[in-house]
Amino acid sequence: MPWELPPERARWRCPPQLVGYGCTEEIPPTREIIGQARAVRALQFGLRVKRRGFNIYVAGHPGTGRKTAILSFLEELAEGMPTPPDWCYVNNFKDPSRPRALRLPPGKGVAFKRAMEAFVEEMRRELRRVFESEEYARRREEVLKAVEEERGRLRREVDETASKEGFVVQRTPVGLIIAPIVEGRPITDRELAHLPEPIRREVARRKEALEEGLREALRRFRELDRRAKRLLVKLDREVARYALTPLLSELLEEYGDVEEVRDYLKEVEEDILENLPPILGREKQEAPFPLPGMEEDPTRRYRVNLVVDNSELEGAPTILELSPTYKRLFGVVEKVAKMGALFTDYTMIRAGSAHRANGGFLILPVEPLLSDPLAWSTLKRAIMNETLEIEDIVERLGLLSTKTLRPEPIPFDAKVILIGSPFLYLLLYNLDREFRELFKVKAEFDTVMDRNPENVKKYACFVSNLCRKEGLKHLDASAVAAVVEYGCRLAGDQRKLSTRFADLADVIREASFYAEEEGTQYVSRRHVEKALEEKVYRSNLMQERVREMIERGFLLIDVEGEEVGQVNGLAVIELGDYRFGRPNRVTATVSLGRDGIIDIEREAKTGGPIHTKGVLILSGFLSERYAQQVPLSLSARLVFEQSYSEVEGDSASSAELYALLSALSGRPIKQGIAVTGSVNQKGEIQAVRGINEKVEGFYEVCKALGLNGGQGVIIPESNVDNLVLRDEVLEAMEKGLFHIYPVKTVDEGIEILTGVKAGERLPDGSYEEGSINHLIQRRLIEMAERIKEYPD
């Protein structure tokens, strides 16, 4: 019997009153994740557990709203969490190649950076002021005067000692020279050489004795120089410390409660005192070929590099990194080229998304993450070690060994949420041992949800949120009802709604565009229906070409009359953004032989494994039903006519069986009835996919060739709930121009196709006289008898 339409034309229709609102503008905003109770429960568990390893993998298909829903859910959760600290990198004065990391309360990082910049500027001014003051000049003069007096006294002692021995000490650019005095005047070495030998020996003896004393005097001179330098350095440190103390006191008063900052400021003070000459410009070294920008700022080492600034953050951070490369995730130490060489320092350290997400949530898409193996391995290491390290990629890969920075690692405390497909989850779980230890929680997003009044209202909430977020025109109740019906269509189930919100959003955006063109206040049903019609029109060129080829007879399809061993099977053509159904002629021929059922598609290697399995099942069915007393002795051939690509799937196995039964029984099949559904060895018809596209595809062909009231489609009874047909098809069914025949068994289907009773098995193993099964059984027995005449 044909399928009878349920009340209101179809159960999946959504009367506007079920929406619960007159317009989506009336609906308050919400952040609820719609239709994903299972995923929400998994998220809540994973986010509550604070132990390492309970990170989350969000599995689901693209378009189900995973990314948007997770981001909204986590942002709401993060608002009630504490704001994590700021992080800065500062110079390590003991080992500049290992910059230190400073943790500061949220918002203090940027203030500390500005305070240090102000401190450096003020420090310069104060040092210049105190070192240019009269007081400093006076104290310096006192130190130098005392040393110079000691130097003069020592000089006089040297002169007196030399004079007593008959020598004079002469000071030259190359040092002190002792010259003998003869006849009241110093003489040169040349003059000394002309003196008598006894005099020369005496002068040499006295000079040697004097040089011993002079060496001691020179040592005392050097000690005086060192003493003067020490006194001046001590004076400079005292004066500088006097100038720095009030400036550092202000910083300590503001940031002294942080121990790391306290220690750092002490090191800053000591480093300034150790490097006063370059800071004051006393030791300025110029390059042999000075270039602009090559001058080194001696105060650069006191800058603060703020890498994580949470001053404007309320609650915990929620970071979505759509391009999770190694650099973007874990930061980089930048370099600058100078004179053909690369230079860097701690001020060029740049943080990554993992640093910014510290203390909150880091959301990463799996596919681009896995495309960068270095990023994936580093992420796992960061989670396991609970630290974030910034490393040079070249050094990490071991390609080149150069001297570079090794910044101090930062503690890592963030929940990592991966978003990917169920297939990738399965691969990672089975192939990556560390993955199952680090991502213990799986939150799976479904593609459908139950259709009930509560979820219909949630659909309306989704529409309302989308319109507010993107500034679209709001939908009235009739338009929301049309969106709900489209959701049913996408789900392919009268009792379900699709959660492919990306597809729904595209339709709503297009419908809003048409409403704007018309100048209406709200989007109504006709705008949604127009959007759906235009969406189909933009993509169904291939469908139109196939229909045209059928009309013109290039593709042989009969929709009226009867034929033996021939039936219209139904297939679904996938075009990416669009899919449609089309009929395929399936034929079967039978002859005497021992080959059994031959699948021509398999022999030609154009049949897929599942299709082959479906054909092999037919042999099991025939053997179970007709070969209990005699063996199957036939050669049967099955083929999809005019099929020039791979045939895959078992949804046409029932059609192939019907063609085979027709060929064996000799009873013709009505060509106006197409068939879909798989079959098992017991003759039960099983559900298939794409039922709506198949029914509508055959309807379109029948309409093009002429509806006569006897056309229709046989479908599995278990697929009835999947029927979400277009209005045009439903109207044709109401008028009796087109029919749908749900069946449970092969017997029901063959009766509809041939108009002949299938026949029940009698106690003796035979079937009712004149029935399809009786005719087939008799034919097979005859063939078994005749095959004996042709032994192998």
Side-chain angles (χ1 to χ4, degrees):
M1 292 293 293
W3 179 56
E4 295 182 0
L5 290 175
E8 298 184 11
R9 301 181 66 187
R11 283 176 288 184
W12 53 275
R13 284 300 186 193
C14 179
Q17 58 267 25
L18 291 182
V19 175
Y21 299 94
C23 171
T24 56
E25 197 171 14
E26 305 170 5
I27 305 173
T30 178
R31 289 185 174 181
E32 180 183 2
I33 298 180
I34 300 174
Q36 304 293 351
R38 185 186 301 272
V40 170
R41 185 171 176 177
L43 284 170
Q44 291 172 340
F45 167 74
L47 296 174
R48 285 200 307 267
V49 179
K50 300 302 181 183
R51 294 186 178 182
R52 186 184 68 181
F54 282 84
N55 297 289
I56 302 169
Y57 186 101
V58 178
H61 296 282
T64 54
R66 299 167 302 169
K67 182 173 62 181
T68 304
I70 291 297
L71 189 61
S72 177
F73 180 84
L74 293 178
E75 285 176 345
E76 184 177 13
L77 180 65
E79 290 175 357
M81 296 173 62
T83 304
D86 295 341
W87 285 95
C88 306
Y89 273 109
V90 294
N91 189 27
N92 184 343
F93 301 104
K94 297 179 181 178
D95 185 359
S97 67
R98 295 182 176 272
R100 292 176 52 187
L102 295 184
R103 183 203 306 257
L104 290 161
K108 289 282 189 177
V110 64
F112 182 61
K113 177 182 179 180
R114 293 170 181 167
M116 285 302 297
E117 291 173 352
F119 164 78
V120 169
E121 293 300 320
E122 189 64 24
M123 176 264 291
R124 283 173 166 171
R125 286 195 297 269
E126 281 298 305
L127 290 180
R128 282 197 297 266
R129 183 184 66 79
V130 296
F131 281 98
E132 292 173 1
S133 66
E134 294 181 0
E135 176 65 18
Y136 172 74
R138 183 185 63 78
R139 293 183 61 182
R140 180 182 174 86
E141 184 64 30
E142 289 177 356
V143 170
L144 293 176
K145 182 178 180 182
V147 173
E148 191 58 37
E149 288 176 355
E150 184 66 21
R151 191 191 302 273
R153 185 183 62 77
L154 182 58
R155 190 182 299 115
R156 287 192 297 272
E157 290 180 2
V158 171
D159 289 342
E160 289 175 2
T161 302
S163 179
K164 288 179 182 180
E165 296 294 332
F167 288 88
V168 62
V169 178
Q170 296 177 336
R171 291 163 179 83
T172 68
V174 296
L176 298 179
I177 297 177
I178 301 176
I181 298 176
V182 178
E183 296 181 355
R185 68 179 183 84
I187 62 173
T188 65
D189 291 341
R190 181 178 296 180
E191 291 175 327
L192 180 62
H194 290 87
L195 294 178
E197 179 66 24
I199 295 176
R200 291 202 307 271
R201 286 200 298 268
E202 179 63 20
V203 169
R205 183 186 64 77
R206 286 186 287 124
K207 184 177 181 180
E208 183 178 352
L210 184 60
E211 284 178 344
E212 182 65 29
L214 186 59
R215 280 194 291 270
E216 176 62 22
L218 290 175
R219 185 190 65 77
R220 292 172 63 187
F221 272 119
R222 288 194 295 270
E223 178 61 32
L224 278 175
D225 289 340
R226 288 193 292 268
R227 179 184 172 195
K229 188 174 181 179
R230 286 197 302 270
L231 290 173
L232 288 176
V233 169
K234 181 179 179 182
L235 174 63
D236 287 351
R237 288 176 66 92
E238 289 177 358
V239 172
R241 193 184 300 276
Y242 171 79
L244 292 174
T245 298
L247 301 180
L248 290 171
S249 297
E250 293 180 8
L251 291 174
L252 287 169
E253 183 178 350
E254 182 67 24
Y255 306 100
D257 54 338
V258 181
E259 183 180 357
E260 293 92 338
V261 175
R262 239 184 2 255
D263 295 340
Y264 170 68
L265 291 177
K266 290 179 183 178
E267 293 180 9
V268 168
E269 180 183 23
E270 188 61 31
D271 190 75
I272 292 174
L273 297 178
E274 291 291 336
N275 294 278
L276 283 173
I279 292 175
L280 294 172
R282 296 175 181 173
E283 296 182 0
K284 186 175 182 181
Q285 296 181 352
E286 293 188 1
F289 304 100
L291 295 174
M294 288 293 293
E295 300 82 3
E296 186 68 26
D297 181 4
T299 63
R300 179 184 176 88
R301 56 200 288 118
Y302 310 123
R303 294 180 185 177
V304 173
N305 182 10
L306 179 61
V307 294
V308 178
D309 179 16
N310 292 321
S311 58
E312 298 182 0
L313 185 65
E314 295 182 3
T318 301
I319 303 298
L320 172 63
E321 180 55 74
L322 296 177
S323 180
T325 60
Y326 177 82
K327 287 185 177 181
R328 291 179 67 91
L329 267 180
F330 301 103
V332 64
V333 179
E334 296 178 344
K335 296 178 177 63
V336 61
K338 292 183 179 180
M339 299 293 291
L342 296 176
F343 294 87
T344 188
D345 62 20
Y346 74 96
T347 63
M348 298 183 189
I349 298 173
R350 301 292 178 260
S353 302
H355 295 82
R356 294 192 296 275
N358 213 355
F361 309 105
L362 178 61
I363 309 171
L364 304 172
V366 173
E367 288 189 17
L369 177 64
L370 294 179
S371 66
D372 187 339
L374 194 60
W376 174 237
S377 62
T378 306
L379 176 65
K380 292 189 293 183
R381 188 181 66 179
I383 296 173
M384 287 188 290
N385 299 337
E386 299 181 346
T387 57
L388 290 172
E389 296 185 50
I390 300 178
E391 296 180 277
D392 188 271
I393 293 181
V394 176
E395 183 182 356
R396 173 73 186 278
L397 294 174
L399 300 177
L400 184 66
S401 179
T402 59
K403 187 176 181 181
T404 185
L405 299 183
R406 295 294 301 273
E408 180 182 356
I410 290 177
F412 182 54
D413 178 25
K415 281 285 183 181
V416 180
I417 296 93
L418 300 182
I419 300 178
S421 67
F423 177 70
L424 281 179
Y425 176 86
L426 182 64
L427 287 181
L428 288 170
Y429 189 86
N430 290 326
L431 302 178
D432 192 329
R433 184 178 301 175
E434 294 171 340
F435 172 79
R436 66 180 71 177
E437 296 297 326
L438 299 177
F439 293 87
K440 296 180 181 292
V441 181
K442 178 184 179 184
E444 189 158 12
F445 272 57
D446 199 354
T447 56
V448 295
M449 63 183 182
D450 292 337
R451 176 175 172 170
N452 52 46
E454 180 184 358
N455 283 341
V456 168
K457 291 181 180 179
K458 288 180 179 179
Y459 246 49
C461 290
F462 160 74
V463 174
S464 177
N465 288 340
L466 178 69
C467 293
R468 285 193 179 91
K469 180 180 179 181
E470 301 190 6
L472 305 176
K473 283 185 174 293
H474 281 275
L475 279 64
D476 63 19
S478 68
V480 175
V483 171
V484 170
E485 293 168 5
Y486 180 57
C488 242
R489 170 80 178 197
L490 286 177
D493 195 322
Q494 299 174 9
R495 302 181 183 182
K496 299 290 183 179
L497 290 173
S498 174
T499 58
R500 289 160 52 188
F501 293 109
D503 294 336
L504 294 171
D506 289 340
V507 171
I508 294 169
R509 295 184 186 106
E510 189 169 345
S512 175
F513 169 77
Y514 295 135
E516 287 178 1
E517 279 194 331
E518 287 188 11
T520 59
Q521 184 178 1
Y522 298 117
V523 177
S524 63
R525 172 180 281 273
R526 70 176 183 277
H527 300 125
V528 176
E529 290 177 346
K530 182 178 180 180
L532 293 173
E533 291 170 1
E534 292 295 322
K535 179 180 174 66
V536 170
Y537 180 75
R538 291 192 295 268
S539 303
N540 73 341
L541 177 62
M542 179 66 72
Q543 182 181 15
E544 293 296 326
R545 291 293 174 263
V546 169
R547 186 186 309 156
E548 181 182 349
M549 293 174 72
I550 293 174
E551 286 185 59
R552 298 177 63 184
F554 295 130
L555 293 178
L556 301 179
I557 298 293
D558 293 333
V559 294
E560 56 186 19
E562 297 180 345
E563 293 289 340
V564 174
Q566 176 177 301
V567 69
N568 288 322
L570 295 172
V572 174
I573 307 299
E574 299 276 358
L575 298 177
D577 63 332
Y578 184 67
R579 52 192 297 197
F580 66 93
R582 58 154 292 187
N584 276 98
R585 176 177 289 180
V586 179
T587 61
T589 59
V590 178
S591 64
L592 193 66
R594 294 186 175 89
D595 297 328
I597 299 177
I598 298 174
D599 178 10
I600 293 179
E601 303 294 343
R602 178 187 178 186
E603 297 299 318
K605 298 182 179 180
T606 58
I610 298 178
H611 175 262
T612 299
K613 174 187 174 184
V615 174
L616 293 175
I617 287 174
L618 303 187
S619 296
F621 170 80
L622 293 178
S623 298
E624 193 275 338
R625 178 164 290 196
Y626 305 114
Q628 298 300 311
Q629 298 176 355
V630 293
L632 285 178
S633 303
L634 80 162
S635 291
R637 289 166 176 78
L638 294 171
V639 68
F640 277 70
E641 302 290 358
Q642 293 184 290
S643 173
Y644 307 107
S645 58
E646 184 182 55
V647 176
E648 179 60 314
D650 64 349
S651 65
S653 59
S654 65
E656 292 172 313
L657 181 56
Y658 292 136
L660 186 59
L661 296 180
S662 171
L664 286 169
S665 66
R667 293 294 180 264
I669 288 177
K670 299 173 183 177
Q671 298 301 293
I673 301 177
V675 176
T676 186
S678 68
V679 65
N680 62 26
Q681 292 188 116
K682 300 297 182 180
E684 297 171 321
I685 303 299
Q686 303 167 144
V688 293
R689 296 178 57 195
I691 197 70
N692 293 296
E693 289 79 4
K694 293 175 179 178
V695 171
E696 292 172 355
F698 189 64
Y699 168 79
E700 291 292 338
V701 171
C702 292
K703 184 179 73 169
L705 298 178
L707 290 169
N708 58 23
Q711 295 142 336
V713 178
I714 292 177
I715 68 170
E717 187 175 84
S718 51
N719 275 129
V720 168
D721 280 345
N722 301 118
L723 289 172
V724 187
L725 301 170
R726 298 199 318 263
D727 286 346
E728 183 181 355
V729 181
L730 295 175
E731 290 171 0
M733 292 172 62
E734 287 179 340
K735 296 176 181 178
L737 297 176
F738 195 75
H739 308 279
I740 293 178
Y741 303 90
V743 298
K744 289 183 179 180
T745 65
V746 170
D747 288 341
E748 294 178 14
I750 199 66
E751 288 181 355
I752 295 171
L753 288 169
T754 62
V756 178
K757 188 174 181 181
E760 297 290 334
R761 188 191 294 269
L762 300 176
D764 62 355
S766 63
Y767 290 91
E768 299 175 48
E769 186 75 22
S771 66
I772 293 291
N773 286 324
H774 173 262
L775 295 173
I776 294 172
Q777 187 179 52
R778 188 177 65 186
R779 176 83 180 276
L780 290 173
I781 292 174
E782 292 174 355
M783 295 174 74
E785 291 297 326
R786 291 188 61 188
I787 199 69
K788 294 178 182 179
E789 300 175 8
Y790 307 95
D792 293 338

